[in-house]
Amino acid sequence: MSAMTSRKVYVVGVGMTRFEKPGKRDDFDYPEMAREAATKALLDANVTYDRVQAAYVGYCYGDSTAGQRALYPLGMTGIPIVNVNNNCSTGSAALLLARNAIAAGQAECAMALGFEKMAPGSLGSVWTDRENPLAPHVMAIASKTEMNPKVPIAPMIFCLGAMEYCAEHGVTDEAAQRRVLATIAHKNHLHSTLNPYSQFRDEYSVEQIEKSRKVMGPLNMLACCPTSDGSACAILASEAFVHAHGLEAQAIEIAGMAMRTDVVGDLGDVLGTAANGRANPDAAPESVSFQKIAGAHMSQLAAEAAMREAGVTARDICVVELHDCFAANELMMYDALGFTSPQFSAIDMVRSMTRTPGTNAIVAQTAAGTHVTVNPSGGLLSKGHPLGATGIAQCAELSWQLRGWCGPRQVTDNGRELTCALQHNVGLGGAAVVTVYKKPAAFAGNKVDPTARIGYNPAVEARSVSDEDVARVRARPAAKL
């Protein structure tokens, strides 16, 4: 990986649409979503589309080359456009590919774009005439517990993982487990009230969440994320590009980034040693960990690698955008990201959560005695989860946070400006991506005033784009030789 990361890479522009209930608007197909997000990111970076030398476009529900269809209205410039599908971590996978292209010297400026046009309700399989990618995961679960056909597979996996985690830490009563998950959900719903991009912007008490419709065990509906329509975009650049375009005051370094997939043992022995890769129907239930099936171990491996590359530890992180498709997942990932210890569990973190006086920010104590704000955007639970856009929307939030643009939801480091942030994005099947962002000390200087360039602060106001905005960023005709 060191050869792939020999050059520094910076986020220089971000943009996103509001995340909305699927089908809410007739004029919100994926080309319109992408047009808005990409235009905003290019305006933020103060460059036109012809400066982009490669684009990586993430989506899960769409035909091949939808990325080309989404970007061609900004200019048919001949650049490579790679379409990416990696389940719920699709957006971060696209971001990783864009980062690697710049780090390896293949591009000076690259785009990561994600979008999703989804159906209402729980996720389901589109292809029913072939092997489901989650078949080994389902078989591993079935070897250890009875499957409930009325519960969709995603909430089942994450809920079982959280229940297992709670039981390992002495919390076996379902009501107590429900209180833990409801406390996490309350935090994220409260944070979302200040995010104009969130699908949900209502505050719910812990009690309201506990009384919402039961999904499974201690998991209730208001502790689950919604499906969503939406798009997000990030413009990445090399250090030379940053200097050439005067972007030092807004450039945020991707200081560490890693993707990991499942390793031997994460699914128990369900895959066995069969040469055909088929699942083993005689898997031993004692070898199965619901937490590992839910991605906790690969998230841990990705976090360790990303923080090692960035030269930080969990002690240095005080703001996180964490993949909380369910409150159950957020609980397990506190461990995976290194915020806990054998003496101070994720449950202890949840019970330590306090609201900062005079704000909507809820902070949690870590095992190291530091404090961290998780999902100031509202997370997936409230902001929404258009699969291809989620990881890049997390990047947008953390870039705005590190620039200090977030107004009433701005996180600080004990009253000081933020210098470091962490992003976690995971997809069942599996792929976990963890990213560490830093505000470069070498680029210290005057802050960029977004109102001077864009006319408003996009971190605190969600506007659409005009035809004039699109014209400003559309690729310029190539100069004649």
Side-chain angles (χ1 to χ4, degrees):
M1 185 63 71
S2 59
M4 294 290 290
T5 56
S6 57
R7 299 203 307 170
K8 290 185 176 182
V9 181
Y10 301 88
V11 181
V12 295
V14 292
M16 61 182 289
T17 69
R18 290 186 179 91
F19 288 179
E20 300 185 1
K21 180 179 179 179
K24 180 179 179 181
R25 287 198 279 146
D26 293 334
D27 62 345
F28 204 48
D29 201 355
Y30 74 88
E32 287 74 35
M33 299 177 199
R35 173 180 183 265
E36 179 177 332
T39 295
K40 288 178 175 178
L42 290 164
L43 288 171
D44 186 27
N46 201 28
V47 297
T48 50
Y49 179 62
D50 51 282
R51 305 302 297 166
V52 175
Q53 297 171 319
Y56 301 88
V57 185
Y59 56 92
C60 294
Y61 297 102
D63 287 332
S64 298
T65 66
Q68 283 85 333
R69 172 63 185 88
L71 285 173
Y72 277 1
L74 293 180
M76 298 171 69
T77 60
I79 63 170
I81 298 175
V82 180
N83 294 274
V84 182
N85 180 342
N86 227 12
N87 216 332
C88 299
S89 63
T90 291
S92 288
L95 195 69
L96 177 70
L97 292 172
R99 190 231 183 177
N100 285 351
I102 295 171
Q106 298 170 349
E108 299 300 319
C109 179
M111 172 185 288
L113 172 68
F115 53 76
E116 213 69 72
K117 184 174 177 63
M118 303 185 73
S122 299
L123 300 183
S125 179
V126 175
W127 309 104
T128 59
D129 62 344
R130 64 205 68 185
E131 178 85 358
N132 189 306
L134 293 181
H137 303 68
V138 173
M139 185 166 287
I141 292 171
S143 73
K144 191 170 184 177
T145 190
E146 183 178 353
M147 303 286 289
N148 184 342
K150 295 182 179 180
V151 179
I153 190 61
M156 180 184 296
I157 289 176
F158 290 112
C159 185
L160 286 171
M163 291 168 65
E164 181 182 79
Y165 183 89
C166 286
E168 289 176 356
H169 292 84
V171 180
T172 57
D173 178 69
E174 185 176 301
Q177 293 175 351
R178 180 175 291 105
R179 175 55 57 105
V180 169
L181 300 185
T183 301
I184 292 172
H186 163 70
K187 166 182 65 67
N188 294 345
H189 284 298
L190 181 63
H191 286 169
S192 75
T193 62
L194 296 175
N195 186 355
Y197 295 93
S198 287
Q199 183 170 336
F200 297 149
R201 298 189 65 189
D202 296 318
E203 178 182 353
Y204 295 98
S205 68
V206 172
E207 291 73 21
Q208 286 176 309
I209 296 166
E210 290 177 321
K211 292 177 181 177
S212 63
R213 182 170 67 82
K214 181 176 179 178
V215 176
M216 175 183 171
L219 185 65
N220 292 68
M221 180 59 70
L222 287 175
C224 304
C225 74
T227 52
S228 313
D229 288 350
S231 179
C233 184
I235 307 299
L236 276 55
S238 67
E239 190 165 6
F241 189 97
V242 169
H243 291 313
H245 291 79
L247 297 169
E248 293 89 349
Q250 69 191 63
I252 302 301
E253 182 183 359
I254 299 180
M257 191 172 194
M259 176 189 288
R260 291 294 184 268
T261 58
D262 294 303
V263 299
V264 173
D266 282 355
L267 304 184
D269 58 3
V270 70
L271 286 180
T273 57
N276 64 7
R278 292 292 181 180
N280 170 23
D282 300 317
E286 63 271 14
S287 70
V288 173
S289 163
F290 294 138
Q291 295 164 72
K292 289 181 178 179
I293 291 173
H297 189 212
M298 60 181 173
S299 293
Q300 177 189 343
L301 296 174
E304 289 172 350
M307 286 192 271
R308 182 167 56 248
E309 182 187 0
V312 302
T313 69
R315 294 178 64 97
D316 302 301
I317 307 296
C318 56
V319 62
V320 179
E321 282 290 303
L322 186 155
H323 190 100
D324 61 323
C325 48
F326 304 91
N329 194 40
E330 180 168 330
L331 177 72
M332 290 182 285
M333 296 308 158
Y334 293 162
D335 254 27
L337 300 180
F339 293 115
T340 64
S341 72
Q343 295 76 35
F344 192 87
S345 71
I347 297 168
D348 294 319
M349 278 188 66
V350 174
R351 290 172 174 168
S352 77
M353 289 179 179
T354 56
R355 185 169 177 171
T356 305
T359 76
N360 278 9
I362 294 180
V363 298
Q365 184 179 329
T366 71
T370 59
H371 290 85
V372 61
T373 302
V374 180
N375 289 328
S377 70
L380 284 60
L381 284 181
S382 290
K383 185 172 60 181
H385 185 25
L387 275 62
T390 288
I392 303 173
Q394 291 175 320
C395 169
E397 175 68 21
L398 293 177
S399 295
W400 287 329
Q401 288 283 349
L402 286 166
R403 292 183 193 173
W405 286 12
C406 288
R409 73 175 188 279
Q410 180 66 48
V411 178
T412 65
D413 180 3
N414 289 322
R416 300 184 297 273
E417 289 187 352
L418 291 175
T419 59
C420 188
L422 186 140
Q423 172 189 346
H424 165 262
N425 196 198
V426 66
L428 291 176
V433 185
V434 174
T435 309
V436 177
Y437 299 91
K438 286 184 177 179
K439 180 186 295 184
F443 292 175
N446 296 328
K447 292 183 179 179
V448 170
D449 177 7
T451 60
R453 178 183 300 164
I454 306 172
Y456 69 104
N457 180 356
V460 297
E461 186 177 354
R463 296 186 184 181
S464 58
V465 295
S466 65
D467 291 341
E468 291 75 18
D469 292 328
V470 178
R472 284 177 58 189
V473 302
R474 188 175 286 124
R476 302 296 183 253
K480 294 182 179 180
L481 298 177

